[in-house]
């Protein structure tokens, strides 16, 4: 009796499809990934975005510049400030509006606070993906302090919509500045706590170190930015390469880790919190007096015809707005370049051949915000 | 082998350190408040739904029914109608309604108002099972506050 060839016993293809999401407990938001699995190994991962597509770009083309402002905080609800910043920035650049220095400093302070709060959410959610619940509570305790501070000046806890063309909508008060200083003093020892509790933890190290390689070359091909490319050893940060607002005036470093694994991306974000604290401290100390919004701002924003571009460094990477104006009250075209979309698109290539739990850990380390992907 | 032992020892140490930090928290005060027995004070600039501001002299609304807010609203959730009554210098509203189901609390209406006749409330307890509960007649609300 002859033995049948191995292919016939095993079957030509034993892969199966595993749906990750849209509401899988391990994914953030409503992202769906169609995984083709060979046992425990991912052979193909196909992201299926679009579940919360809200046509932000199209909405920008049928409402006035002022009316689109609230939308910008809702693209990436975790780092709303940077998104509003890019949008007001593009209009200011186009119309040649000079923003008072105080307003620029306030923008820097609030953007950096927002970055810290965003990284803290990521920190909690990422560790939740990895199966650790406790760090989330620590992170949210600190994040709550930032939200209280920002709520005090903006009136809102998440979708701030604080910046206006030419400045910000309210001036900061002494309570905010005092609270921010206290927060910086409070946060520094907390970073040590995070290191002792989480970063040094052997379980976390074993799960992240040398796993989930995303090379600098892959980042470039997919246009991945933010902590993903900085975790691959490239010091690319819009705040340094194309300094906007008042970032030129502050002394801060761009954390870069060349290991290109999930741990590197983790460490980049933790180090960024420290750097943001440095920026905030300098900005609060040197906050200039003066108006918080440019004088004589028109009630209805009008932008001269042309093609304009403005990029900011959001918590997830480079967010850019390209606006084409034909001189009317409504933008002709508004292109929103969202970092999460590029960061997700490399997932298919990067996850090939990985084990499922490792792929999930890598997915978490990309820090995706689904409304940002779908827009 | 040597590495394995070294790894295990240092790894065990990190677990002990983490556990110590967790146990420390047992002796800290809670950071949350027990809502609804206690509630946090809303900050001055909190953005609840809008309401009309009363003119301290006449007791009526400051609104002049110019419809700026209606135009500025990105979600079309404000409806204003007004007439010019006899003996008055300016228009006054006959209807001012807000469809709070559509409102995103951006505050454009408050900002454009030329007479500062709008402001944010500090209300956040707004749960309901009916859509009609969020169609606010702000003029009637202002009258109701008179009493």
């Amino acid at each position: 009796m002859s033995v049948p060839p191995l292919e016939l016993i095993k079957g030509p293809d034993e892969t199966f499809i595993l749906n990750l999401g849209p509401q899988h407990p391990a994914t953030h938001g409503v992202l769906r990934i169609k995984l083709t699995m060979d046992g425990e190994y991912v052979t193909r991962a196909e992201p299926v975005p679009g579940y919360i597509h809200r046509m932000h770009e199209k909405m920008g083309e049928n409402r006035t510049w002022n009316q689109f402002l609230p939308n910008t905080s809702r693209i990436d609800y975790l780092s709303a400030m940077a998104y509003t910043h890019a949008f007001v920035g593009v209009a200011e650049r186009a119309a040649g509006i000079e923003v008072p220095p105080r307003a620029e400093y306030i923008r820097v302070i609030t953007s950096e606070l927002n970055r810290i709060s965003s990284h803290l959410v990521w920190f909690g959610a990422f560790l939740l993906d990895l199966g650790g619940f406790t760090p989330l509570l620590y992170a949210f305790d600190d994040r709550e302090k930032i939200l209280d501070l920002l709520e005090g000046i903006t009136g809102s806890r998440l979708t701030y919509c604080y910046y206006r063309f030419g400045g910000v909508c309210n001036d900061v008060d002494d309570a905010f500045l005092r609270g921010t200083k206290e927060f910086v003093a409070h946060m520094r020892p907390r970073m040590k706590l995070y290191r002792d509790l989480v970063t040094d933890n052997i379980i976390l190290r074993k799960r992240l170190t040398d796993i989930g390689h995303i090379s600098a070359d892959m980042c470039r091909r997919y246009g991945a930015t933010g902590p993903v490319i900085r975790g691959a050893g490239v010091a690319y940060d819009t705040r340094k390469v194309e300094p906007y607002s008042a970032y030129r005036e502050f002394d801060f470093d761009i954390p870069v880790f060349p290991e290109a694994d999930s741990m590197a991306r983790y460490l980049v974000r933790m180090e960024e919190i420290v750097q943001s604290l440095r920026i905030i401290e300098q900005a609060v100390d040197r906050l200039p007096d003066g108006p918080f919004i440019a004088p004589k701002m028109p009630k209805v924003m009008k932008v001269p015809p042309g093609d304009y571009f403005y990029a900011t460094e959001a918590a997830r990477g480079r967010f850019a707005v390209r606006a084409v104006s034909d001189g009317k009250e409504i933008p002709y075209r508004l292109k929103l370049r969202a970092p999460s979309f590029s960061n997700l698109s490399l997932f298919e290539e990067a996850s090939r051949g990985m084990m499922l739990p490792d792929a999930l850990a890598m997915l978490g380390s990309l820090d995706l915000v689904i409304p940002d992907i779908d827009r | 082998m040597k590495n394995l032992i070294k790894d295990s020892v240092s790894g065990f140490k990190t677990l002990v350190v983490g556990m110590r930090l967790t146990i420390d928290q047992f002796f800290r005060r809670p950071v949350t408040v027990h809502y609804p027995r206690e509630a946090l004070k809303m900050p001055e600039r909190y953005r609840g739904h809008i309401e009309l501001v009363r003119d301290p002299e006449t007791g009526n609304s400051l609104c002049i029914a110019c419809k700026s807010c209606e135009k500025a609203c990105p979600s079309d959730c404000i409806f204003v109608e007004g007439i010019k009554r006899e003996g008055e210098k300016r228009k006054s509203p006959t209807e001012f309604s807000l469809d709070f189901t559509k409102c995103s609390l951006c505050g454009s209406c408050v900002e454009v108002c030329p007479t500062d006749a709008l402001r944010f409330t500090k209300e956040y307890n707004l749960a309901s099972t009916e859509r009609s509960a969020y169609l606010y007649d702000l003029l009637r609300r202002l009258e109701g506050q008179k009493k």
Side-chain angles (χ1 to χ4, degrees), chain A residues 322-357:
Chain A
R322 180 187 168 198
V324 182
S325 171
D326 53 3
K328 297 205 182 95
E329 282 175 18
I330 294 170
Y332 175 77
R333 174 80 174 95
L334 210 57
K335 162 72 189 158
L336 309 167
R337 187 251 183 239
S340 290
F341 184 77
S342 313
N343 292 0
L344 170 70
S345 57
L346 55 73
F347 182 70
E348 181 179 359
E349 190 181 324
S351 68
R352 214 172 288 154
M354 278 174 93
M355 284 183 85
L356 181 62

Side-chain angles (χ1 to χ4, degrees), chain A residues 29-43:
Chain A
V30 277
L31 173 68
R32 179 178 169 217
I33 297 183
K34 239 169 92 181
L35 296 169
T36 310
M37 304 289 296
D38 182 6
E40 189 79 352
Y41 292 91
V42 179
T43 54

Side-chain angles (χ1 to χ4, degrees), chain A residues 29 60 111 118 128 138 223 242 252 265 315:
Chain A
S111 285
S118 171
L128 212 54
Y138 289 86
E242 292 169 28
F252 64 101
R265 292 187 286 279

Side-chain angles (χ1 to χ4, degrees), chain A residues 22 52 71 127 133 159 179 205 226 229 258 273 322 324-325:
Chain A
I52 36 175
N71 283 53
L127 294 163
F133 184 75
T159 49
R205 292 236 167 220
I229 197 165
I273 297 181
R322 180 187 168 198
V324 182
S325 171

